[in-house]
């Protein structure tokens, strides 16, 4: 999968962007170049959607009808989701959110996102923490321009992100596409974390702890992006939120 978001709609940590990207012989690419490269890796088996200059989503159709590492794409009510992996407790989650038994993981994630966006009955980190399984997902809300992504904590699914030549955020499970498109400005998306374009990056397992960026270096000793870890010794100073105030429009105060 591949998701690219204009810098106006996603604000990744600044440590992800390495100055070395523009000094090295291999420069980062523009979003359309990265998209074309991704599509060329999977000729005749991909689907992509563009939302003007704001975003593009690309998805590779699975080769089998069902797999533990399934890939799903779903769109509803101007919200689009790419989901990788599977949830062990999907049946329970569908029942909790009033969805039919046949709803898949991507459908559930969209409904959970809509519930958080419109009513905010629970903190976003609690909702993601309740997902049991190996998973990664990226949501684009074309109505609000918001981006929401998360990666499960068990390491069963890999996800990477980086910065394109124009500052756009690139997210993919294809490491080679990320390397080619983002040069030195990329890193693994941290397991057990979620990212929202308004609230930024946070650990859904340790939401009350601050995040520390650890610079990454390649085999040549050049800094290329950063790994993000939970700072177990530093907590966020905030008052626990209740009711509708748990909506992630106030995520940055968590």
């Amino acid at each position: 999968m591949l998701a690219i978001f204009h810098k106006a709609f996603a604000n990744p940590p600044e440590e992800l962007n390495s100055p070395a990207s523009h000094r090295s012989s291999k420069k980062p690419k523009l979003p359309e170049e990265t998209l074309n490269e991704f599509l060329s890796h999977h000729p005749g088996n991909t689907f992509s959607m563009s939302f003007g200059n704001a975003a593009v989503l690309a998805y590779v159709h699975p080769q089998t009808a069902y797999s533990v590492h399934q890939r799903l794409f779903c769109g509803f009510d101007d919200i689009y989701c790419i989901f990788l992996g599977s949830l062990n407790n999907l049946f329970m989650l569908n029942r909790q959110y009033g969805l039919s038994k046949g709803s898949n993981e991507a459908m559930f994630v969209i409904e959970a996102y809509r519930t958080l966006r419109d009513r905010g009955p629970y903190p976003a980190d609690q909702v993601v923490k309740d997902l049991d399984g190996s998973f990664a997902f990226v949501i684009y809300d074309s109505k609000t321009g918001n981006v929401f992504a998360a990666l499960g904590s068990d390491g069963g699914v890999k996800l990477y992100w980086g910065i394109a030549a124009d500052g756009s955020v690139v997210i993919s499970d294809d490491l080679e596409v990320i390397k080619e498109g983002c040069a030195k400005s990329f890193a693994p998306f941290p397991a057990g974390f979620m990212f929202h374009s308004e609230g930024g990056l946070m650990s859904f397992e340790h939401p009350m702890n601050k995040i520390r960026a650890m610079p990454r270096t390649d085999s040549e000793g050049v800094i290329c992006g950063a790994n993000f870890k939970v700072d177990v010794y530093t907590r966020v100073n905030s008052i626990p939120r209740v009711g509708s105030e748990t909506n992630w429009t106030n995520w940055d105060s968590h």
Side-chain angles (χ1 to χ4, degrees):
M1 59 77 68
L2 174 70
I4 304 176
F5 304 105
H6 191 275
K7 59 184 178 182
F9 298 95
N11 301 291
E14 60 182 21
E15 294 89 349
L16 193 60
N17 195 357
S18 172
S21 276
H22 299 278
R23 294 198 300 263
S24 66
S25 57
K26 189 164 83 171
K27 301 288 193 296
K29 297 180 179 180
L30 292 169
E32 53 267 29
E33 295 176 297
T34 298
L35 173 62
N36 290 335
E37 179 163 350
F38 179 80
L39 297 177
S40 71
H41 283 200
H42 312 277
N45 196 33
T46 53
F47 167 80
S48 64
M49 290 185 68
S50 295
F51 303 85
N53 294 322
V56 61
L57 301 175
Y59 159 78
V60 181
H61 293 283
Q63 295 181 348
T64 58
Y66 177 79
S67 168
V68 174
H69 299 294
Q70 64 181 342
R71 296 188 296 270
L72 302 168
F73 178 87
C74 183
F76 179 74
D77 194 25
D78 297 318
I79 303 168
Y80 300 87
C81 173
I82 299 177
F83 185 97
L84 308 177
S86 59
L87 298 177
N88 301 323
N89 58 340
L90 179 62
F91 178 81
M92 182 195 74
L93 293 168
N94 281 339
R95 186 171 56 185
Q96 178 182 341
Y97 282 80
L99 295 173
S100 68
K101 291 189 293 184
S103 298
N104 64 30
E105 283 88 345
M107 297 173 185
F108 161 74
V109 169
I110 286 178
E111 183 59 30
Y113 169 84
R114 289 176 67 220
T115 302
L116 284 167
R117 184 194 66 184
D118 300 339
R119 300 194 297 275
Y122 313 107
D125 54 87
Q126 179 182 324
V127 173
V128 180
K129 192 174 182 179
D130 286 343
L131 307 185
D132 176 23
S134 298
F135 66 89
F137 64 79
V138 178
I139 284 178
Y140 178 61
D141 185 339
S142 63
K143 189 177 294 184
T144 65
N146 283 333
V147 177
F148 180 43
L151 177 63
S153 57
D154 71 348
V157 177
K158 304 296 183 184
L159 202 63
Y160 307 90
W161 61 341
I163 307 297
D166 66 349
S168 293
V169 180
V170 184
I171 305 175
S172 180
D173 62 335
D174 190 326
L175 178 57
E176 292 307 312
V177 168
I178 287 284
K179 284 182 176 180
E180 289 297 318
C182 304
K184 301 294 185 181
S185 296
F186 78 94
F189 192 96
F193 278 64
M194 59 187 188
F195 170 78
H196 186 266
S197 50
E198 292 184 354
L201 183 70
M202 70 178 290
S203 166
F204 60 77
E205 294 190 311
H206 305 281
M208 300 306 296
N209 289 82
K210 290 187 176 181
I211 305 305
R212 176 178 294 179
M214 311 292 288
R216 297 173 67 244
T217 57
D218 61 14
S219 58
E220 300 171 347
V222 178
I223 293 178
C224 52
N227 289 320
F228 298 92
K229 307 287 186 182
V230 173
D231 187 341
V232 296
Y233 301 107
T234 309
R235 294 176 65 84
V236 177
N237 294 321
S238 69
I239 299 174
R241 298 166 298 159
V242 296
S244 62
E245 291 183 359
T246 60
N247 191 304
W248 49 33
T249 55
N250 298 319
W251 187 340
D252 54 358
S253 67
H254 201 328

